[in-house]
Amino acid sequence: QVANATNFVLDDTAGNANEILDRIIDLQTAYNNADAPLEGRILVLDPTHSAIIAKEDKKLYKSFESTPGQMLFGFKTYMFSKNPIYIKATAQKAAQGTAFVGATHARSTFAYVKTEVMKAQGTFKLFSTLNSPTHKGDIFNFQMRALVQSLRNKYAAAIIK
């Protein structure tokens, strides 16, 4: 499924469970057809999808897995275990914090273009506990608030499997 000309959802929940590389190539093609910038394309793999790639092509997997940020089909590639989950029946993103249920949900790998997202740092707050008897020392902790979002809602993508 393609949401619009610049945002993509590649729903492969009914397809072959072992074809992540084909979906990444499809995503690269969709980005190229939408004239997305070649620089700054980021792909964040779900660990399950990463394991499927390892089974598909061990040599390719070793080449990009060894160092985060390695290129794979035009995308800098990273792995993150808390990617959004999608509802299989509707291909819609589930609410944040929803527990994964294999019969209902699908895992996702997502992609974006670096120039189309923003991060604004907010306030910092320091918490401290001096002379903690539990830890036998001082405890310091920082809380930082930030806003992270898409700038123009362009070039966001997800591979659902």
Side-chain angles (χ1 to χ4, degrees):
Q1 292 178 329
V2 177
N4 62 42
T6 57
N7 291 320
F8 316 101
V9 176
L10 301 179
D11 183 0
D12 196 34
T13 53
N16 185 342
N18 298 320
E19 292 181 348
I20 291 291
L21 289 176
D22 289 346
R23 298 299 77 77
I24 295 171
I25 293 168
D26 292 344
L27 185 59
Q28 179 190 32
T29 303
Y31 269 52
N32 291 341
N33 288 337
D35 295 323
L38 296 174
E39 294 295 315
R41 292 181 183 183
I42 309 291
L43 181 72
V44 183
L45 289 164
D46 178 82
T48 305
H49 295 171
S50 184
I52 293 170
I53 291 173
K55 291 176 186 176
E56 282 184 70
D57 190 336
K58 289 183 183 2
K59 197 173 202 179
L60 176 67
Y61 177 75
K62 286 180 183 178
S63 73
F64 80 84
E65 187 268 341
S66 61
T67 306
Q70 292 289 83
M71 297 299 284
L72 178 68
F73 302 116
F75 293 93
K76 276 190 173 181
T77 309
Y78 300 93
M79 188 170 27
F80 185 60
S81 63
K82 306 239 183 321
N83 286 359
I85 59 175
Y86 281 73
I87 301 166
K88 286 181 183 179
T90 62
Q92 296 295 316
K93 191 166 28 170
Q96 186 175 358
T98 302
F100 182 80
V101 177
T104 308
H105 299 115
R107 300 195 181 275
S108 73
T109 286
F110 67 91
Y112 61 94
V113 175
K114 195 174 185 177
T115 57
E116 294 297 326
V117 295
M118 56 83 66
K119 175 180 85 169
Q121 289 185 346
T123 59
F124 290 85
K125 186 169 183 179
L126 169 68
F127 299 93
S128 63
T129 302
L130 301 177
N131 298 321
S132 169
T134 308
H135 294 91
K136 297 183 173 74
D138 298 336
I139 302 169
F140 294 95
N141 196 358
F142 288 92
Q143 176 185 34
M144 180 183 79
R145 298 182 186 271
L147 175 65
V148 182
Q149 67 182 28
S150 175
L151 286 173
R152 296 182 294 175
N153 199 22
K154 288 177 70 175
Y155 310 128
I159 299 171
I160 305 169
K161 196 168 232 353

